[in-house]
Amino acid sequence: MAFHSAQTQASVFERPVLWAPPKRAIDPAALDEKCRQLRERLLDIARAHQHTRLASSLSAEDMVITDVILRAAEQGESHQDIAAHIDIFTLETGRLPAETLALLDQIQAHYGVRLAIYTPDESAVQAYIEQYGLNGFYESLQARRQCCDIRKVVPLAAALAGADAWITGQRREQSVTRSDLHLQEHDEARGISKYNPLFDWTEQEIWAYVERYSVPVNALHYQGYPSIGCDPCTKAIRVGEDPRAGRWWWENQDSRECGLHVHN
């Protein structure tokens, strides 16, 4: 009996409890207000700029914003400016998980829209691989940041060319590097405005919205991944860990940004 008990305890420790989307109920009226506020924020952004773009990482947060944008016409004539003046794009780095790529097809099936996709320069990727190896980003912070620069930062610059504002799905709760996030920032590197309309949303509110409106999301979210990037740089996390603990997990927590949000 004692041996069986020891085996049972060992098996518990061998199977850590992974993060999962929260299921705690949100007051419907409170969620209604959050949704109204988000639509108004996006409407204000759309009317303040000529060329605004949502940089979608295809995260649950970005899918919430995407859903509001693509369903804006249903909210009445006053909200049609949101869909008309905010374009959506994503970065296909060449190392994304299959589940992330599958979400692109789900978005098209659900909304009838194909997102604009930007990819890295193939010659730059090949030069990196020749210098560092395919997975050389594990070896040093410099090598990792150079990989992110080639696969994300440079394509982002191309995606934002001609834009006077861009939108992200960042939230304060996500990381220590984002705890001081504000609704509006100035992107000094690109000389344009930057908005974080979900900056004050909680994880529970994000997933309450996803459930209410049946928003398509990455299947990896249901396998312990709150934050999803490139496949070799992302892993599932345990309950209670920092939401971005699975991103570049071999690095110090304070350095876990790819370079897209350099001022956070």
Side-chain angles (χ1 to χ4, degrees), residues 19-26 60 171 173 202-211 221-222 226:
W19 175 90
K23 296 182 179 180
R24 192 176 74 188
I26 298 291
R171 296 185 298 109
E173 274 190 350
T202 66
E203 186 178 62
Q204 287 78 15
E205 290 165 344
I206 292 294
W207 286 98
Y209 183 102
V210 168
E211 181 177 356
H221 285 312
Y222 299 102

Side-chain angles (χ1 to χ4, degrees), residues 33-108:
E33 176 57 23
K34 276 286 189 175
C35 294
R36 184 201 65 77
Q37 186 181 61
L38 177 58
R39 287 193 296 269
E40 290 300 321
R41 287 174 178 177
L42 292 174
L43 183 59
D44 289 343
I45 294 168
R47 290 176 172 174
H49 301 278
Q50 293 296 314
H51 304 287
T52 303
R53 292 168 193 167
L54 167 62
S56 174
S57 66
L58 304 177
S59 65
E61 287 83 1
D62 288 317
M63 289 308 304
V64 166
I65 301 175
T66 295
D67 187 76
V68 174
I69 292 172
L70 297 182
R71 291 194 309 107
E74 303 174 11
Q75 308 300 324
E77 184 176 352
S78 64
H79 287 83
Q80 291 179 1
D81 284 344
I82 296 175
H85 294 96
I86 301 178
D87 297 322
I88 308 170
F89 70 88
T90 192
L91 306 178
E92 210 292 68
T93 66
R95 302 298 302 272
L96 296 180
E99 292 85 351
T100 302
L101 297 176
L103 181 56
L104 288 170
D105 293 330
Q106 295 169 32
I107 292 170
Q108 184 173 23

Side-chain angles (χ1 to χ4, degrees), residues 22-202:
K23 296 182 179 180
R24 192 176 74 188
I26 298 291
D27 176 59
L31 184 59
D32 286 341
E33 176 57 23
K34 276 286 189 175
C35 294
R36 184 201 65 77
Q37 186 181 61
L38 177 58
R39 287 193 296 269
E40 290 300 321
R41 287 174 178 177
L42 292 174
L43 183 59
D44 289 343
I45 294 168
R47 290 176 172 174
H49 301 278
Q50 293 296 314
H51 304 287
T52 303
R53 292 168 193 167
L54 167 62
S56 174
S57 66
L58 304 177
S59 65
E61 287 83 1
D62 288 317
M63 289 308 304
V64 166
I65 301 175
T66 295
D67 187 76
V68 174
I69 292 172
L70 297 182
R71 291 194 309 107
E74 303 174 11
Q75 308 300 324
E77 184 176 352
S78 64
H79 287 83
Q80 291 179 1
D81 284 344
I82 296 175
H85 294 96
I86 301 178
D87 297 322
I88 308 170
F89 70 88
T90 192
L91 306 178
E92 210 292 68
T93 66
R95 302 298 302 272
L96 296 180
E99 292 85 351
T100 302
L101 297 176
L103 181 56
L104 288 170
D105 293 330
Q106 295 169 32
I107 292 170
Q108 184 173 23
H110 189 82
Y111 299 105
V113 172
R114 171 65 71 173
L115 302 189
I117 299 174
Y118 289 80
T119 59
D121 179 77
E122 291 185 8
S123 62
V125 171
Q126 187 57 40
Y128 177 90
I129 294 173
E130 291 175 358
Q131 179 177 357
Y132 294 102
L134 180 62
N135 296 325
F137 40 79
Y138 290 129
E139 302 302 321
S140 71
L141 181 59
Q142 176 184 347
R144 196 274 290 173
R145 285 180 171 167
Q146 188 170 336
C147 184
C148 287
D149 187 68
I150 292 169
R151 295 184 183 274
K152 293 185 176 183
V153 179
V154 174
L156 177 70
L160 293 178
D164 57 353
W166 66 298
I167 297 171
T168 86
Q170 295 184 106
R171 296 185 298 109
R172 286 177 174 171
E173 274 190 350
Q174 289 173 322
S175 171
V176 294
T177 60
R178 299 179 177 181
S179 59
D180 293 329
L181 205 62
H182 298 286
L183 170 61
Q184 182 176 2
E185 304 173 315
H186 180 69
D187 186 335
E188 296 180 4
R190 301 171 184 90
I192 62 177
S193 296
K194 178 180 176 183
Y195 294 90
N196 310 296
L198 297 176
F199 77 102
D200 56 352
W201 277 52
T202 66

Side-chain angles (χ1 to χ4, degrees), residues 1-8:
M1 181 67 70
F3 176 70
H4 176 74
S5 177
Q7 279 189 322
T8 302

Side-chain angles (χ1 to χ4, degrees), residues 199-251:
F199 77 102
D200 56 352
W201 277 52
T202 66
E203 186 178 62
Q204 287 78 15
E205 290 165 344
I206 292 294
W207 286 98
Y209 183 102
V210 168
E211 181 177 356
R212 172 186 284 190
Y213 294 106
S214 300
V215 179
V217 295
N218 196 316
L220 288 176
H221 285 312
Y222 299 102
Q223 300 175 38
Y225 292 73
S227 179
I228 305 165
C230 290
D231 187 58
C233 299
T234 308
K235 70 174 185 177
I237 68 168
R238 301 184 183 196
V239 169
E241 288 190 276
D242 184 275
R244 286 174 64 83
R247 302 292 297 278
W248 309 291
W249 66 91
W250 63 92
E251 294 180 2

